[in-house]
Structure formats: C-alpha cells, structure tokens
Amino acid sequence: MQAVFDGHNDVLLRLWSHAKAGADPVKEFVEGTSEGHIDGPRSLKGGLVGGLCAIYIPSGDLVLKQPDENGHYATPMSAPLERQPSLDIALEFAAIALRLERAGAWNLCRSTAEIRQSIAEGVFAAVLHMEGCEAIGADLSALETFYAAGLRSLGPVWSRHNIFGHGVPFAYPMDPDTGPGLTGAGFDLVKECNRLGILIDLAHITEKGFWDVAKTSDQPLISSHSNAHALTPVARNLTDRQMDAIRDSKGLAGLNYATTMLRPDGQENAQTPLSDMVRHVDYMVERMGIDCVALGSDFDGATIPEEISDAAGNQSLIAALRAAGYGDAELTKICRENWLRVLAQAWHEAD
C-alpha cells in the first residue's frame, strides 16, 4: 500500500458542523462514521497517513449555480465575511483540532520530522491550514496566535473576496483572470508568512493574485488542490503559464478529486471515471515534472468519483496511476514526498 500525505481536506468543517448538532467530534473521528470522507478507520484502510486540514469559514449565501442548456455555469461570489464571527468559528475549528490531538486521535505536526514520526507511529499526521484568512485582521496579530496553535499553511483567500485579496468564482468555462490580486494587506500577509514559515496556498486566488504572490514570496509556489485548466476549464484550475511558474519555483500542484475540476464538462457528477484523474496527473507531470505533482483531495469538501468514494478508497487512484505506468519511485513522490519537500522549504527547515 502506498502511504498518502494529502494536501487538502475539510474534515474539520464536517466535524465542526456535526458538533454544532450535538455530535462528539473526537468520537466521530476515532470510531468512524458513514458520513463524509475522512475518519481514523477509513484513513487507515485507504493508506491516508495525514494531510493539511483546513480551517474554513462557510459562506451561508453560497448556492452553486445549475448548468444552463450548454452545460455552462457561473456561481455568484459569496459576500465578504465579517472578521469577529469568522475569528470565533476559526477558534472553534482549532479547538477541535487540539482536542483530537489530546485524545491521541491525530498528531498536530509543526515540522516534517514530526510528520514522518507520526506516520511511523501509525497516527494520522495533521497539519493545520487556514483556507481564507477572514479570521485574521489587517494588523496580523492573530496570525501569531494561530501559528502558536499549530497553523503552518494558509490560503489568503477562498473563493470570495476579503481584506487580503480576491478569489475566483466557481464557474465553467472561465479562466482564473477574474479580478484584482492582493491588496496592500495581502502583500503584508505574504511577507509575514515568509518570516514565520507558513506555507502560502494559491488554490482559490485570482490569476493576478497568483502573480502578486509569485513576485513577493520567497517560497515555492503551491496550489494545494487545483488541476489543469487546459483539460477542465473551470476558473479554479491552473493555466499552463501558472504551471510553468510552479515548475520554475520547484513548487507543486495537488490533484483535486472534485469532479467539477476533473471532467471535461466541468459537471458535478460522481460517475466520473478514474481515467479523468489520471489524465490530469499525466498533463501536470508532463508540464511541470514528477517533482511538482502531488495530491490535494478536497475530501469532505467536494463531490468525488464514486470509485474512490472516501478515504478508504484512496488506493484505487494509486492503482489507476500504477496501471498508467507510474512506478513506485514516482508514486512515492506524488503521494507524499513532494509535499514533504515543499513543506520543509516553506517552514525554513533547510535554513
């Protein structure tokens, strides 16, 4: 079995949502559930040994637009969120992550050595990520607090605008050049992340924002859960030029399992073949090289192919990649080592 360290999931969102309804998030993760995608038992079965776990503040006004007669859609952007309620929710997410660590359900890892040690011990290696920084004020003081709590990765924006920059909508067909890039506060955020050693994720930012980060950051360029725009032209996917920049910075892109970002028609449909996933991996490897492609499932945050279904089915993708000609050394890079390489660089471990 090929061990997988995954670049993006929303398990904390699911656990938080269920906790609001009275469930015990620790019990749900440890004992398992039939809902969602990730828990301890299913991760163990599918070889999912860890990943970046997102603090994401949900948008109550987001309603995905249904495709028109041509299969096209453009979901209106969610309204910006207020800082204080966003901070409250982010702290609730972080509290669940810390409870899981205290219970021994997973380890919150702050270094690649800790990730490797956790994997060796058979304990889920979680890295705390923030997807959209609505909980962080312009003075960035809260960033220090979240860093102390284990935050080691963030995306300045989700697919909505905030004080740091602009996000791309969920739309097909559309390219990612949909609006302005970083604000002044966004440039400050990037520089502070560079100083602290927090990875910057470009998965939801506009193309202008992507280039703003590229010219400002000293880190490799990372898009944790984005695919090839040339194959599936949704606004969230990466253009060839963006992939070239990722390659040149020795960064990476993580394959997103969301069917809307895999299928040629951009539709949300679990009847999506694994061949669509392999097609995107092939394209990204050809464009960027084997060292710049990884996995960013979006488990618990998207509709994924039914042949995978959840974390327990993760090895189905590995088998499909193996059948397509990827050997053990290449699969090891795609499944975990590429992530560990870029995390080590972003976290100043080579300094």
Side-chain angles (χ1 to χ4, degrees):
M1 182 182 292
Q2 188 70 244
V4 172
F5 183 85
D6 182 44
H8 186 83
N9 71 70
D10 286 295
V11 66
L12 286 172
L13 172 62
R14 191 195 79 226
L15 294 175
W16 173 82
S17 299
H18 291 180
K20 287 295 185 183
D24 180 344
V26 173
K27 181 178 179 181
E28 180 172 324
F29 190 88
V30 170
E31 297 184 3
T33 176
S34 60
E35 299 185 54
H37 296 144
I38 292 180
D39 54 41
R42 286 183 290 180
S43 296
L44 184 63
K45 183 176 180 181
L48 182 64
V49 296
L52 277 73
C53 303
I55 293 173
Y56 159 71
I57 314 304
S59 280
D61 63 341
L62 180 69
V63 179
L64 293 177
K65 189 85 169 182
Q66 292 301 305
D68 62 19
E69 63 275 9
N70 297 313
H72 299 175
Y73 55 86
T75 298
M77 296 286 284
S78 294
L81 301 179
E82 295 181 13
R83 192 278 173 102
Q84 188 57 54
S86 298
L87 177 59
D88 291 343
I89 293 172
L91 290 171
E92 291 170 358
F93 274 62
I96 291 173
L98 292 166
R99 284 181 60 193
L100 287 166
E101 181 173 52
R102 284 197 303 272
W106 69 17
N107 290 325
L108 271 183
C109 299
R110 296 166 170 82
S111 70
T112 58
E114 290 181 0
I115 293 172
R116 292 187 189 280
Q117 181 64 29
S118 191
I119 293 171
E121 294 171 352
V123 180
F124 190 94
V127 173
L128 204 57
H129 168 77
M130 185 172 285
E131 187 174 28
C133 290
E134 286 83 3
I136 306 294
D139 66 359
L140 304 181
S141 60
L143 190 61
E144 291 275 7
T145 302
F146 280 106
Y147 181 84
L151 184 73
R152 290 297 182 273
S153 173
L154 62 77
V157 299
W158 182 66
S159 285
R160 63 186 167 228
H161 309 324
N162 63 27
I163 63 170
F164 301 109
H166 296 79
V168 294
F170 298 101
Y172 171 90
M174 184 178 286
D175 69 33
D177 187 16
T178 60
L182 293 178
T183 64
F187 282 105
D188 291 341
L189 175 65
V190 169
K191 293 172 185 175
E192 185 66 2
C193 287
N194 286 173
R195 184 186 73 82
L196 287 171
I198 298 175
L199 180 138
I200 300 162
D201 182 11
L202 303 168
H204 283 268
I205 204 164
T206 61
E207 187 171 6
K208 287 186 175 65
F210 178 100
W211 297 117
D212 284 343
V213 173
K215 71 184 182 185
T216 306
S217 178
D218 60 14
Q219 298 179 11
L221 299 176
I222 306 297
S223 190
S224 67
H225 54 305
S226 298
N227 300 335
H229 189 273
L231 301 182
T232 304
V234 294
R236 276 272 288 105
N237 278 343
L238 295 163
T239 67
D240 286 354
R241 185 165 169 252
Q242 287 175 305
M243 284 193 282
D244 291 346
I246 289 172
R247 176 200 62 213
D248 293 345
S249 75
K250 297 182 172 57
L252 67 75
L255 178 77
N256 193 322
Y257 297 10
T259 65
T260 54
M261 298 175 67
L262 291 168
R263 299 171 59 89
D265 61 8
Q267 301 301 300
E268 185 176 20
N269 184 349
Q271 304 289 321
T272 296
L274 295 181
S275 58
D276 280 351
M277 305 181 81
V278 173
R279 195 166 56 100
H280 278 271
V281 171
D282 285 345
Y283 190 96
M284 292 192 289
V285 167
E286 182 176 355
R287 191 84 197 185
M288 297 185 292
I290 194 68
D291 293 330
C292 298
V293 181
L295 302 178
S297 68
D298 215 355
F299 278 146
D300 282 311
T303 297
I304 66 174
E306 67 172 11
E307 289 183 71
I308 295 177
S309 183
D310 57 26
N314 220 26
Q315 294 299 312
S316 296
L317 171 60
I318 311 308
L321 290 170
R322 192 182 300 279
Y326 291 90
D328 286 339
E330 294 169 311
L331 290 172
T332 296
K333 288 184 175 185
I334 291 172
C335 289
R336 61 186 179 279
E337 289 302 323
N338 288 343
W339 265 117
L340 293 174
R341 173 183 60 81
V342 297
L343 290 174
Q345 187 167 344
W347 294 350
H348 302 161
E349 292 181 10
D351 291 353

